[in-house]
Amino acid sequence: MSIKKTDEFGCEPKECMAALLPVRDALEVLSGRWKLPILIALSDRPKRFKEISKDINGITDKMLSKELKDMEINKLVTRTVYDTFPPTVEYARTKHSETLSDVIMALKDWGTLHRREIIGK
């Protein structure tokens, strides 16, 4: 009878590496400096492009446009174009993006702990 060696995550290394694929997917979707601030800016209500831009200090229009397109592809935001002149475009969080609330809070908690560990604040 052989004893399987497991790591701190309770799985064998090969199994754990396969289990990390969804984690890598999540990190890829949320990577970068701006995706979480965009989600937070949209947390209270749908907003137009310039409203989002004003809410996020330091983001360029080009970067905001790129990130919104990427987030739309990943079903984190919706883009609604209204038939007005000039056209009105609003961005809103999806139900799918709302499932990230616990993840964002966990990252905040870990980030607070990490800041204390590294810089003592």
Side-chain angles (χ1 to χ4, degrees):
M1 182 168 148
S2 67
I3 298 174
K4 290 187 176 182
K5 184 178 178 185
T6 61
D7 64 9
E8 66 183 290
F9 302 109
C11 57
E12 293 183 57
K14 280 187 178 182
E15 292 171 351
C16 281
M17 291 307 287
L20 283 176
L21 289 175
V23 174
R24 288 175 52 193
D25 291 345
L27 290 173
E28 186 174 320
V29 169
L30 297 173
S31 69
R33 180 177 179 183
W34 303 111
K35 289 191 178 81
L36 292 178
I38 292 169
L39 288 174
I40 292 166
L42 292 171
S43 64
D44 58 340
R45 63 181 175 83
K47 293 182 180 175
R48 294 173 68 174
F49 186 91
K50 283 297 179 186
E51 291 177 294
I52 301 167
S53 181
K54 287 179 185 176
D55 285 349
I56 303 172
N57 189 29
I59 193 168
T60 64
D61 285 352
K62 182 178 178 180
M63 180 57 74
L64 179 56
S65 178
K66 177 198 166 301
E67 294 288 58
L68 285 168
K69 285 177 188 171
D70 190 44
M71 293 171 76
E72 188 177 7
I73 289 167
N74 285 292
K75 299 184 179 182
L76 298 178
V77 299
T78 58
R79 180 180 185 267
T80 304
V81 181
Y82 295 97
D83 190 20
T84 59
F85 186 81
T88 302
V89 179
E90 276 189 343
Y91 295 89
R93 286 183 66 169
T94 62
K95 292 280 185 199
H96 181 56
S97 75
E98 292 171 9
T99 64
L100 287 167
S101 296
D102 291 341
V103 174
I104 293 169
M105 290 307 295
L107 286 170
K108 178 194 124 341
D109 292 344
W110 186 85
T112 300
L113 178 68
H114 182 65
R115 288 181 66 83
R116 278 192 212 119
E117 181 71 24
I118 298 301
I119 60 175
K121 292 184 180 180

